[in-house]
Amino acid sequence: MADSDHPDSSLETPAAPQVQAISKATLRQLSFQCMEDGFSIVDLNGVHVDVNPALCRMTGFSAEELVGFSPDHLYWPPEERDHIRAAFTRTLRGDLAQVELTFMHKNGKRFPVIVNPFAITAPDESVQYYAATVVDITQQEAMKAELRDSEVRFRTLFENAGDAIAIVKDFRIIDCNNQLAALYGFSREEVLSRPLSDFLQPTQPGGKDSFEFLREMVAASRSGTPQVYEWHGTNIDGTPVIAEITLTTFTLGGESYEQAISRDITQRKQMETAAANLNKMLEQRVAQRTKELEEACAELQQRNVQFRTLAQKLTRAEEEERKRIAQLLHDNHQQLLAAAKIKTEMLAEGLHSANPDEIGRQVVEILEQALDGTRSLTMELAPPILYGQGFVTALQWLGRWMEENHRLPVVVTGSLPATPMSTDVSSVLFRAVRELLFNVSKHSGVRKANVSIAQLDQRLEVTVSDEGAGFDLENVLQHKSFGLLSIQEQLIPLNGRLDINTVPGGGTRSTLVIPLSAAEGFHALSRPAMQN
């Protein structure tokens, strides 16, 4: 019974391996059908033997459209066929390296894939087929592209930021933008290759050690509070750089980094310092100006006194000059004219006791004396040569006149204007030179003077000099020299001035200075130097 109750083991034993084999095939088929990645089997000629549903969904082609067909396969894009064919050929030759390709959906859309080929061999190790998994990496590529775009955006913002930015790890700069390199004058490579301590000056304002101060800022930042502080450094050539630093800490991959954003405030601080200095200077200048105004007021009061004194002296001088001219006319001209009148009457009355020829000769002599006196007086008061032949010729005449009448030889030299100056200017300068030559004649103790004319930049200078006794200028001005004051006052309407250089025993150099604009028709031309 036992034997009848149990089947013959010899009959059942062969069945077990068969069931096991079917089960494994079924599992392989299920795996093939349910794979998320595409799967393809080709024969040694590259003809599709089988494809899984995932590959069909991936490409949009059915198994019937793919199985049994040799290359080129439908999902190969026309523009990629040469590239795919070359990779396919390498695989059929036994090169089973992974390859990244571009496939084409039935609707024409391209998509990137990674193909991992492998060989299917017989028990004798001979290759029967080639199979490959096909992974659609569209999403991964999109993520990579987005990551690349993000990196580009970050790098663009990083590099084009208006402020200097440094990424620091363990007190070493591991990345920085060009603004940081430019701020301190180093190349980016130098910044990244050297320890942070190389870029620190020894101390910060107040004497605190720079590295210790930086450690404090980093510790405070790592506690979670961004730090904003002022940092003083120098660039590569030693020029001071003042920056406002915003320091923050962030974590990446479990490690801490510091980001330092540096804003160059050197110019702002310099402007603040300059403003403070300017304010201080303005306060000093206001005080100085107040003092100057007080002194100017006192000087104006003194000048008012001088003007009144000068006016009085001018009035007296005019009166004296009138008296002198009247006396000269009375004692000389009137007497001569009276004598000529008497002689002429004698001739008219026909007095036979007189010799008519002799009387006529005497009348002529008397009239010549009167004419010479009139001419001399005219030249002394307002020489016509000044208005008829110009300033230079008048100065040369004045030199001869001084020698004839005051025994003072005068040498006139200089670079002279090509066109005559206005009569107002020439009159003022002529009278001033004459007054200065009178002073030389009376006070210098020498018998020679020099008059030079020069054009310098935009001004005309006429200088009267001697090598005589000189004088104490301050003492003379305090005693209100009428002649010098008169010259100074006459030059003021011309925007001119009188410069006097003299010391007792060292000669005197008096220079009349007026701007060229004060001389009508005066051009920046000159003719060769002249002397009388």
Side-chain angles (χ1 to χ4, degrees), residues 236-255:
I236 194 171
D237 62 4
T239 303
V241 175
I242 306 174
E244 182 181 79
I245 308 293
T246 301
L247 185 69
T248 56
T249 299
F250 64 93
T251 302
L252 186 64
E255 295 186 291

Side-chain angles (χ1 to χ4, degrees), residues 424-440:
D424 291 341
V425 175
S426 61
S427 297
V428 170
L429 294 179
F430 181 84
R431 288 195 298 271
V433 171
R434 184 173 61 185
E435 176 66 25
L436 293 172
L437 289 175
F438 284 153
N439 287 344
V440 174

Side-chain angles (χ1 to χ4, degrees), residues 162-164 179 182-184 231 240-245 261-270:
D163 296 328
Q179 281 77 1
L183 180 60
Y184 292 99
W231 183 263
V241 175
I242 306 174
E244 182 181 79
I245 308 293
I261 300 176
S262 304
R263 176 163 295 176
D264 186 1
I265 59 172
T266 306
Q267 188 175 12
R268 188 183 81 191
K269 298 300 289 187
Q270 290 173 343

